[in-house]
PDB file of all heavy atoms in Angstrom:
ATOM      1  N   SER A 259      -5.655   8.789   7.789  1.00  0.00           N
ATOM      2  CA  SER A 259      -4.747   8.142   6.719  1.00  0.00           C
ATOM      3  C   SER A 259      -4.846   8.737   5.407  1.00  0.00           C
ATOM      4  O   SER A 259      -3.997   9.143   4.662  1.00  0.00           O
ATOM      5  CB  SER A 259      -4.976   6.543   6.578  1.00  0.00           C
ATOM      6  OG  SER A 259      -4.791   6.103   7.880  1.00  0.00           O
ATOM      7  N   ILE A 260      -6.142   8.893   4.960  1.00  0.00           N
ATOM      8  CA  ILE A 260      -6.434   9.379   3.635  1.00  0.00           C
ATOM      9  C   ILE A 260      -5.897  10.764   3.361  1.00  0.00           C
ATOM     10  O   ILE A 260      -5.209  11.147   2.442  1.00  0.00           O
ATOM     11  CB  ILE A 260      -7.954   9.293   3.233  1.00  0.00           C
ATOM     12  CG1 ILE A 260      -8.343   7.724   3.184  1.00  0.00           C
ATOM     13  CG2 ILE A 260      -8.229  10.023   1.905  1.00  0.00           C
ATOM     14  CD1 ILE A 260      -7.688   7.138   1.886  1.00  0.00           C
ATOM     15  N   GLN A 261      -6.142  11.604   4.530  1.00  0.00           N
ATOM     16  CA  GLN A 261      -5.686  13.006   4.447  1.00  0.00           C
ATOM     17  C   GLN A 261      -4.274  13.075   4.270  1.00  0.00           C
ATOM     18  O   GLN A 261      -3.676  13.980   3.556  1.00  0.00           O
ATOM     19  CB  GLN A 261      -6.010  13.750   5.678  1.00  0.00           C
ATOM     20  CG  GLN A 261      -7.514  14.091   5.766  1.00  0.00           C
ATOM     21  CD  GLN A 261      -7.860  14.723   7.176  1.00  0.00           C
ATOM     22  OE1 GLN A 261      -7.582  16.020   7.336  1.00  0.00           O
ATOM     23  NE2 GLN A 261      -8.491  14.009   8.022  1.00  0.00           N
ATOM     24  N   ILE A 262      -3.317  12.264   4.892  1.00  0.00           N
ATOM     25  CA  ILE A 262      -2.053  12.241   4.750  1.00  0.00           C
ATOM     26  C   ILE A 262      -1.536  11.533   3.590  1.00  0.00           C
ATOM     27  O   ILE A 262      -0.588  12.134   2.801  1.00  0.00           O
ATOM     28  CB  ILE A 262      -1.348  11.634   6.045  1.00  0.00           C
ATOM     29  CG1 ILE A 262      -1.744  12.399   7.382  1.00  0.00           C
ATOM     30  CG2 ILE A 262       0.193  11.465   5.924  1.00  0.00           C
ATOM     31  CD1 ILE A 262      -1.289  13.702   7.362  1.00  0.00           C
ATOM     32  N   ASN A 263      -2.019  10.489   3.219  1.00  0.00           N
ATOM     33  CA  ASN A 263      -1.441   9.552   2.063  1.00  0.00           C
ATOM     34  C   ASN A 263      -1.772  10.172   0.793  1.00  0.00           C
ATOM     35  O   ASN A 263      -0.999   9.827  -0.118  1.00  0.00           O
ATOM     36  CB  ASN A 263      -2.016   8.212   2.303  1.00  0.00           C
ATOM     37  CG  ASN A 263      -1.639   7.538   3.537  1.00  0.00           C
ATOM     38  OD1 ASN A 263      -0.589   8.017   4.267  1.00  0.00           O
ATOM     39  ND2 ASN A 263      -2.290   6.450   4.121  1.00  0.00           N
ATOM     40  N   ILE A 264      -2.878  10.971   0.491  1.00  0.00           N
ATOM     41  CA  ILE A 264      -2.883  11.510  -0.830  1.00  0.00           C
ATOM     42  C   ILE A 264      -2.161  12.781  -1.002  1.00  0.00           C
ATOM     43  O   ILE A 264      -1.916  13.266  -1.988  1.00  0.00           O
ATOM     44  CB  ILE A 264      -4.449  11.932  -1.022  1.00  0.00           C
ATOM     45  CG1 ILE A 264      -4.886  12.967  -0.014  1.00  0.00           C
ATOM     46  CG2 ILE A 264      -5.406  10.804  -0.984  1.00  0.00           C
ATOM     47  CD1 ILE A 264      -6.368  13.434  -0.318  1.00  0.00           C
ATOM     48  N   ARG A 265      -1.453  13.128   0.105  1.00  0.00           N
ATOM     49  CA  ARG A 265      -0.320  14.127   0.026  1.00  0.00           C
ATOM     50  C   ARG A 265       0.972  13.410   0.057  1.00  0.00           C
ATOM     51  O   ARG A 265       2.065  14.186   0.267  1.00  0.00           O
ATOM     52  CB  ARG A 265      -0.489  15.161   1.364  1.00  0.00           C
ATOM     53  CG  ARG A 265      -1.689  15.746   1.674  1.00  0.00           C
ATOM     54  CD  ARG A 265      -1.590  16.425   2.943  1.00  0.00           C
ATOM     55  NE  ARG A 265      -2.931  16.967   3.500  1.00  0.00           N
ATOM     56  CZ  ARG A 265      -3.302  18.184   3.344  1.00  0.00           C
ATOM     57  NH1 ARG A 265      -2.580  18.947   2.838  1.00  0.00           N
ATOM     58  NH2 ARG A 265      -4.471  18.459   3.902  1.00  0.00           N
ATOM     59  N   ALA A 266       1.120  12.205  -0.336  1.00  0.00           N
ATOM     60  CA  ALA A 266       2.401  11.468  -0.246  1.00  0.00           C
ATOM     61  C   ALA A 266       2.965  11.415   1.010  1.00  0.00           C
ATOM     62  O   ALA A 266       4.203  11.454   1.310  1.00  0.00           O
ATOM     63  CB  ALA A 266       3.328  12.067  -1.290  1.00  0.00           C
ATOM     64  N   GLY A 267       2.217  11.487   2.057  1.00  0.00           N
ATOM     65  CA  GLY A 267       2.718  11.380   3.591  1.00  0.00           C
ATOM     66  C   GLY A 267       3.042  12.616   4.011  1.00  0.00           C
ATOM     67  O   GLY A 267       3.592  12.785   5.202  1.00  0.00           O
ATOM     68  N   GLU A 268       2.888  13.847   3.413  1.00  0.00           N
ATOM     69  CA  GLU A 268       3.162  15.083   3.892  1.00  0.00           C
ATOM     70  C   GLU A 268       2.154  15.545   4.920  1.00  0.00           C
ATOM     71  O   GLU A 268       0.868  15.313   4.665  1.00  0.00           O
ATOM     72  CB  GLU A 268       3.021  16.186   2.721  1.00  0.00           C
ATOM     73  CG  GLU A 268       3.418  17.602   3.169  1.00  0.00           C
ATOM     74  CD  GLU A 268       4.927  17.717   3.244  1.00  0.00           C
ATOM     75  OE1 GLU A 268       5.573  17.519   2.262  1.00  0.00           O
ATOM     76  OE2 GLU A 268       5.397  18.252   4.305  1.00  0.00           O
ATOM     77  N   LEU A 269       2.572  15.951   6.169  1.00  0.00           N
ATOM     78  CA  LEU A 269       1.581  16.356   7.065  1.00  0.00           C
ATOM     79  C   LEU A 269       1.024  17.801   6.702  1.00  0.00           C
ATOM     80  O   LEU A 269       1.678  18.437   6.002  1.00  0.00           O
ATOM     81  CB  LEU A 269       2.296  16.448   8.505  1.00  0.00           C
ATOM     82  CG  LEU A 269       2.938  15.213   8.945  1.00  0.00           C
ATOM     83  CD1 LEU A 269       3.628  15.361  10.368  1.00  0.00           C
ATOM     84  CD2 LEU A 269       1.766  14.115   9.190  1.00  0.00           C
ATOM     85  N   PRO A 270      -0.058  18.083   7.181  1.00  0.00           N
ATOM     86  CA  PRO A 270      -0.726  19.504   6.893  1.00  0.00           C
ATOM     87  C   PRO A 270       0.245  20.511   7.365  1.00  0.00           C
ATOM     88  O   PRO A 270       0.915  20.334   8.410  1.00  0.00           O
ATOM     89  CB  PRO A 270      -2.075  19.397   7.604  1.00  0.00           C
ATOM     90  CG  PRO A 270      -2.350  18.027   7.836  1.00  0.00           C
ATOM     91  CD  PRO A 270      -1.151  17.303   7.996  1.00  0.00           C
ATOM     92  N   GLU A 271       0.220  21.673   6.741  1.00  0.00           N
ATOM     93  CA  GLU A 271       1.030  22.789   7.233  1.00  0.00           C
ATOM     94  C   GLU A 271       0.622  23.274   8.485  1.00  0.00           C
ATOM     95  O   GLU A 271      -0.616  23.236   8.882  1.00  0.00           O
ATOM     96  CB  GLU A 271       0.867  23.975   6.194  1.00  0.00           C
ATOM     97  CG  GLU A 271       1.516  23.898   4.768  1.00  0.00           C
ATOM     98  CD  GLU A 271       3.178  23.655   5.093  1.00  0.00           C
ATOM     99  OE1 GLU A 271       3.670  24.549   5.802  1.00  0.00           O
ATOM    100  OE2 GLU A 271       3.737  22.812   4.358  1.00  0.00           O
ATOM    101  N   PRO A 272       1.488  23.750   9.359  1.00  0.00           N
ATOM    102  CA  PRO A 272       1.150  24.349  10.707  1.00  0.00           C
ATOM    103  C   PRO A 272       0.330  25.482  10.560  1.00  0.00           C
ATOM    104  O   PRO A 272       0.456  26.295   9.534  1.00  0.00           O
ATOM    105  CB  PRO A 272       2.520  24.633  11.372  1.00  0.00           C
ATOM    106  CG  PRO A 272       3.581  23.768  10.655  1.00  0.00           C
ATOM    107  CD  PRO A 272       3.013  23.660   9.242  1.00  0.00           C
ATOM    108  N   GLU A 273      -0.784  25.699  11.517  1.00  0.00           N
ATOM    109  CA  GLU A 273      -1.454  26.945  11.446  1.00  0.00           C
ATOM    110  C   GLU A 273      -0.764  28.033  12.125  1.00  0.00           C
ATOM    111  O   GLU A 273       0.454  27.846  12.570  1.00  0.00           O
ATOM    112  CB  GLU A 273      -2.859  26.467  12.047  1.00  0.00           C
ATOM    113  CG  GLU A 273      -3.678  25.575  11.173  1.00  0.00           C
ATOM    114  CD  GLU A 273      -5.079  25.375  11.574  1.00  0.00           C
ATOM    115  OE1 GLU A 273      -5.645  26.178  12.327  1.00  0.00           O
ATOM    116  OE2 GLU A 273      -5.768  24.549  10.883  1.00  0.00           O
ATOM    117  N   ALA A 274      -1.412  29.207  12.375  1.00  0.00           N
ATOM    118  CA  ALA A 274      -0.719  30.349  12.984  1.00  0.00           C
ATOM    119  C   ALA A 274      -0.102  30.100  14.377  1.00  0.00           C
ATOM    120  O   ALA A 274       0.959  30.692  14.690  1.00  0.00           O
ATOM    121  CB  ALA A 274      -1.638  31.569  12.974  1.00  0.00           C
ATOM    122  N   ASN A 275      -0.785  28.971  15.033  1.00  0.00           N
ATOM    123  CA  ASN A 275      -0.135  28.838  16.476  1.00  0.00           C
ATOM    124  C   ASN A 275       0.921  27.618  16.340  1.00  0.00           C
ATOM    125  O   ASN A 275       1.474  27.231  17.354  1.00  0.00           O
ATOM    126  CB  ASN A 275      -1.167  28.278  17.265  1.00  0.00           C
ATOM    127  CG  ASN A 275      -1.837  27.034  16.853  1.00  0.00           C
ATOM    128  OD1 ASN A 275      -1.562  26.635  15.664  1.00  0.00           O
ATOM    129  ND2 ASN A 275      -2.850  26.508  17.583  1.00  0.00           N
TER     130      ASN A 275
END
Side-chain angles (χ1 to χ4, degrees):
S259 297
I260 292 295
Q261 288 178 77
I262 299 299
N263 296 341
I264 62 175
R265 304 171 191 262
E268 182 83 53
L269 300 178
E271 288 295 318
E273 297 193 5
N275 61 357

